Amino acid sequence: MTTHRDLEIYDVTIIGAGPVGLFGAFYAGLRKMKTRIIDSLPETGGQLSALYPEKLVYDMPGFPEVLARDLANEMTLQGVRFKPKLTLGEKVATLIQNSDGIFEIGTDKGTYLTKSVVVCAGAGAFSPKRLDNPTIEPFEGRGVHYFVTDKSIFADKRLLIVGGGDSALDWARNLEATAESIILIHRRDTFRAHDESIDWLLNYSTVQTKLFWELESLEGYGALQHATIVNNVTGDRERLDIDACLLNIGFHASIGPIRDWDLKLEGSAIVVNSHMESSRAGIYAAGDICTYDGKLKLIATGVGEVCIAVNYAKTFIDPNAKLFPGHSSGMTF
Ligand SMILES: Cc1cc2nc3c(=O)[nH]c(=O)nc-3n(C[C@H](O)[C@H](O)[C@H](O)COP(=O)(O)OP(=O)(O)OC[C@H]3O[C@@H](n4cnc5c(N)ncnc54)[C@H](O)[C@@H]3O)c2cc1C
């Protein structure tokens, strides 16, 4: 793979274009900082776009309820208001500081220079857990899905959902009115989901729930047509007619390369002080990736943290700059 080297020096580079990174990009623009934002995913929005775009979020100030997808879109619009450089589809691997103090960020595709860094990497670059089953892969993207980014692709489909956690139950609920029919199989008789969702699934939904059943194979000529499932107690097998299969058996989340950046960590989180600064000067962290006494992993707290991080990054690169930026209503855009 060829990589490029961008010699322009940015004031701040934000790693992660989830809700927290996006708000950080907006705030850095407000502080007139030359800003780059990098994400390994091809789209912005982090967990909101990738994991639960069709769920309602109720705890954002100003929004009594908002669809995660809409919140991600609005936060993206706000995040790009001051035209930060968006570098999507690139995973940050290395973070080193040159002798002149400038940080050099290396991705799988390029190298970028910056005076300060705000890490908003959430749970890290995540990927869905996959079953070790060779009959699944040929149908990935052609009937087999790990995320729901567009409900309409399940319209009038006979859908098999595999899983017993929050995601599986939430999607069963969200897709009930869209799909022609839904069968949910789960390998146990206990769920890792909200009690209210379990009650809905078992007592009020039209979803056919089959406990102690596992996916054995997927079959079809060109398109997905059948699933064979096996009962792990009795050994019975059934062949189901299906058009789509949603595998919701969890995610691997790994902060991966961040472990090599010489930052003080607690578990998988970057330890920050009250300035949201990490153990390395000029490198800040905010959102799910950071930790401190009292940390809560919420969007509302993350966007507050990133305001602090960006304002301190501003004074780090310009010690004469004020920390408190003033109120946005008094600023000229
Ligand atoms: C099912 C579910 C429901 C939720 N509901 C709510 C809710 O109702 N209210 C609420 O406040 N919170 C909710 N949350 C939590 C909320 O989504 C997180 O707190 C929030 O997404 C954290 O934002 P973030 O920007 O810190 O991280 P993320 O959203 O995780 O974004 C981090 C981004 O960084 C990128 N990244 C990571 N490592 C790298 C790298 N090395 N290089 C490049 N890019 C990288 C990732 O690809 C990702 O896009 C929910 C979470 C889940 C899973």
Side-chain angles (χ1 to χ4, degrees):
M1 178 182 299
T2 53
T3 61
H4 63 270
R5 188 176 166 83
D6 186 340
L7 294 177
E8 244 182 295
I9 301 174
Y10 281 69
D11 290 328
V12 63
T13 296
I14 296 172
I15 299 172
V20 175
L22 287 169
F23 197 66
F26 164 76
Y27 222 88
L30 207 61
R31 297 295 324 248
K32 304 203 182 322
M33 297 166 86
K34 189 175 170 63
T35 307
R36 182 191 292 279
I37 179 163
I38 306 178
D39 204 296
S40 54
L41 293 176
E43 61 176 357
T44 57
Q47 294 176 39
L48 280 75
S49 303
L51 297 187
Y52 59 102
E54 301 274 352
K55 268 173 70 104
L56 285 168
V57 174
Y58 300 94
D59 54 354
M60 283 308 294
F63 294 92
E65 62 175 48
V66 56
L67 207 58
R69 178 207 299 276
D70 295 341
L71 180 60
N73 287 342
E74 294 296 320
M75 293 194 84
T76 301
L77 279 179
Q78 189 177 34
V80 300
R81 177 163 196 151
F82 298 105
K83 302 193 173 32
K85 180 79 181 165
L86 261 181
T87 305
L88 296 179
E90 295 192 28
K91 183 173 170 184
V92 177
T94 55
L95 174 57
I96 54 173
Q97 194 167 21
N98 296 330
S99 52
D100 57 2
I102 299 296
F103 293 101
E104 195 171 304
I105 291 178
T107 74
D108 42 357
K109 295 188 185 141
T111 308
Y112 307 103
L113 302 176
T114 184
K115 295 177 190 168
S116 65
V117 179
V118 182
V119 185
C120 300
F126 50 80
S127 54
K129 281 188 188 158
R130 289 174 153 79
L131 291 171
D132 185 17
N133 181 322
T135 69
I136 294 174
E137 205 236 310
F139 296 106
E140 281 181 358
R142 297 191 304 124
V144 168
H145 303 270
Y146 294 93
F147 303 102
V148 180
T149 50
D150 178 3
K151 278 207 300 198
S152 67
I153 60 174
F154 297 98
D156 304 322
K157 297 272 163 64
R158 294 163 300 178
L159 171 64
L160 173 67
I161 297 181
V162 181
D166 265 320
S167 292
L169 270 65
D170 283 353
W171 286 123
R173 195 167 193 166
N174 269 290
L175 293 169
E176 189 186 27
T178 306
E180 181 187 306
S181 60
I182 301 180
I183 297 173
L184 183 145
I185 60 169
H186 181 37
R187 63 186 168 154
R188 286 189 275 266
D189 64 348
T190 50
F191 295 92
R192 269 182 298 175
H194 289 161
D195 290 344
E196 195 258 334
S197 300
I198 299 167
D199 184 41
W200 166 82
L201 180 75
L202 300 178
N203 300 315
Y204 300 100
S205 79
T206 59
V207 175
Q208 190 187 343
T209 303
K210 294 169 83 69
L211 303 176
F212 299 112
W213 289 82
E214 297 182 31
L215 183 65
E216 186 172 79
S217 63
L218 294 176
E219 302 112 43
Y221 296 101
L224 179 59
Q225 290 166 320
H226 306 286
T228 299
I229 58 173
V230 58
N231 187 301
N232 60 29
V233 178
T234 62
D236 289 348
R237 283 183 167 69
E238 272 185 30
R239 194 162 191 250
L240 309 173
D241 295 332
I242 59 164
D243 308 299
C245 177
L246 183 58
L247 289 159
N248 275 157
I249 53 172
F251 291 91
H252 290 291
S254 162
I255 66 164
I258 297 176
R259 288 198 188 281
D260 303 326
W261 296 352
D262 204 18
L263 302 169
K264 185 176 177 200
L265 301 177
E266 210 174 277
S268 295
I270 299 172
V271 175
V272 291
N273 61 21
S274 61
H275 298 183
M276 307 312 296
E277 192 172 31
S278 74
S279 55
R280 287 178 65 186
I283 302 178
Y284 301 80
D288 282 11
I289 191 69
C290 79
T291 191
Y292 52 86
D293 185 26
K295 168 70 188 170
L296 296 176
K297 289 187 183 178
L298 290 170
I299 302 166
T301 49
V303 294
E305 292 160 4
V306 84
C307 282
I308 297 172
V310 167
N311 281 311
Y312 275 102
K314 174 78 180 175
T315 60
F316 174 78
I317 64 169
D318 176 6
N320 294 321
K322 282 185 187 157
L323 173 66
F324 182 63
H327 298 130
S328 68
S329 53
M331 292 180 183
T332 44
F333 281 36

